[in-house]
Amino acid sequence: MRHAASLLAIGDLSVDQVGRIVGYNNRSGFSRVFRKTYGADPSEYRAHKRQSR
C-alpha cells in the first residue's frame, strides 16, 4: 500500500492503473484495502496530497 500511496501522490496514473500495478484486479478491492489502511479513498488521498504540495 505504501507504493500505491506514493504513486497516487506523485503520479498521473488513474486509480485503476495504480491498483493494477500493486496487484489488484479491480478498483473496488483496491479501494477497500486502501481506505482501511489510510482512512481515505484513493482519489481523496490523491486530492489531499496534491492540495498540500
Side-chain angles (χ1 to χ4, degrees), residues 11-44:
D12 289 328
L13 299 170
S14 71
V15 172
D16 290 331
Q17 289 172 314
V18 171
R20 276 187 252 121
I21 288 169
V22 298
Y24 288 85
N25 292 326
N26 62 61
R27 182 182 177 138
S28 63
F30 169 64
S31 293
R32 183 175 49 253
V33 174
F34 191 92
R35 190 178 320 110
K36 206 177 239 189
T37 303
Y38 288 96
D41 289 335
S43 54
E44 293 170 348

Side-chain angles (χ1 to χ4, degrees), residues 8-9 15 40-53:
L8 289 166
V15 172
D41 289 335
S43 54
E44 293 170 348
Y45 180 88
R46 169 182 275 161
H48 176 72
K49 287 295 182 180
R50 286 184 176 176
Q51 190 176 33
S52 63
R53 281 188 194 175

